[in-house]
Amino acid sequence: MKTISENACFGGTQGVYSHASAVCQCDMTFGLFLPAEAKDGPVPVLWYLSGLTCTHENAMTKAGAQVWAAEHGIALVFPDTSPRGEDVADDEAYDLGKGAGFYVNATQTPWAPHFQMWDYIAEELPKLLGKNFALDMERQGITGHSMGGHGALTLAMNLPGRFLSVSAFAPIANPTASDWGRKQLTAYLGEETAKWAKHDATLLMQETDFDGPILIDQGASDQFLDLLMPEALAGAIAAKRQQGTFRMQPGYDHSYFFVASFIEDHVAFHADALYAG
């Protein structure tokens, strides 16, 4: 693992690191904020999964989460959204290829050799973090924005016991029924739709739910609202009687101005679960 940068930040440290990923077969970069409490021992962990076109850097610099994580003594992990490198397959469209890993393990050509983002987030990166930093991997929460909200919800529901809480900002909520999901799932996983179900938060909620609290914020003026399909997930949450809060926020769009406006609530929401757990 290589240290790219480390900066003092709200009494803690905002670092950026890279490492050779065995599952993605390329170098991967991630950001990690450690609060001051990490100097004295392991601290709880909150994952932030970013959306389409993003790297590790977008949320790290735009969401404003560190000040609230420092207040609660929580570490923040900012992974990249896809593999990178000259030999990594890409596409001219912004919603496929580099910057658009969709947090799945691709099985189709040309994506399969590198686009193993599910295993990277679920297995490889957590092991690396637990080995190298003062993190309490028994106390983890996960959140994300857009494609990252999709990833956060599907990881949380597919990995029972891993995360104590999950939240999302404008998640891609029902990708198997959306044009903004069917394209990517077909490209990465093939046309057998049964293989898509574990990557659809609405379908997962209907079948399995989540053993913990959920918080979802959605901007009512989101320009991608019809593609995100939040009403499908909200309906599934209500039908399952899941412990959860779904908030439609008037006037807000899909940008990081929206995320930054409500990140304090999300960090506090996760802190309640992480320190109670």
Side-chain angles (χ1 to χ4, degrees), residues 60-79:
M60 190 180 81
T61 59
K62 294 181 179 180
Q66 291 92 336
V67 62
W68 310 115
E71 183 175 296
H72 294 285
I74 293 172
L76 296 170
V77 183
F78 303 101

Side-chain angles (χ1 to χ4, degrees), residues 80-227:
D80 203 347
T81 57
S82 77
R84 308 276 176 177
E86 292 184 2
D87 61 340
V88 174
D90 201 8
D91 191 270
E92 292 182 356
Y94 75 94
D95 57 356
L96 192 65
K98 294 178 184 178
F102 266 78
Y103 305 101
V104 304
N105 285 339
T107 60
Q108 305 299 300
T109 304
W111 314 107
H114 298 285
F115 282 73
Q116 303 296 309
M117 288 301 295
W118 181 276
D119 283 350
Y120 179 68
I121 299 296
E123 301 296 337
E124 186 177 34
L125 187 53
K127 291 177 182 177
L128 181 76
L129 293 170
K131 181 180 179 180
N132 289 280
F133 300 97
L135 302 176
D136 183 351
M137 303 307 284
E138 297 299 314
R139 292 188 289 167
Q140 298 185 66
I142 189 167
T143 187
H145 173 226
S146 193
M147 180 185 73
H150 140 83
L153 290 164
T154 56
L155 282 157
M157 285 188 273
N158 276 295
L159 300 173
R162 172 72 63 88
F163 301 103
L164 299 178
S165 51
V166 59
S167 72
F169 299 87
I172 300 175
N174 193 193
T176 64
S178 168
D179 290 341
W180 207 12
R182 296 182 68 87
K183 168 187 173 181
Q184 292 83 1
L185 294 174
T186 300
Y188 291 137
L189 303 177
E191 296 184 357
E192 189 177 340
T193 57
K195 295 180 180 180
W196 301 358
K198 69 175 287 185
H199 300 292
D200 187 307
T202 296
L203 298 183
L204 287 168
M205 181 58 63
Q206 292 170 350
E207 295 296 324
T208 63
D209 70 26
F210 175 66
D211 186 20
I214 293 177
L215 171 63
I216 297 173
D217 275 312
Q218 172 64 60
S221 296
D222 193 315
Q223 59 271 43
F224 302 115
L225 205 54
D226 291 341
L227 296 170

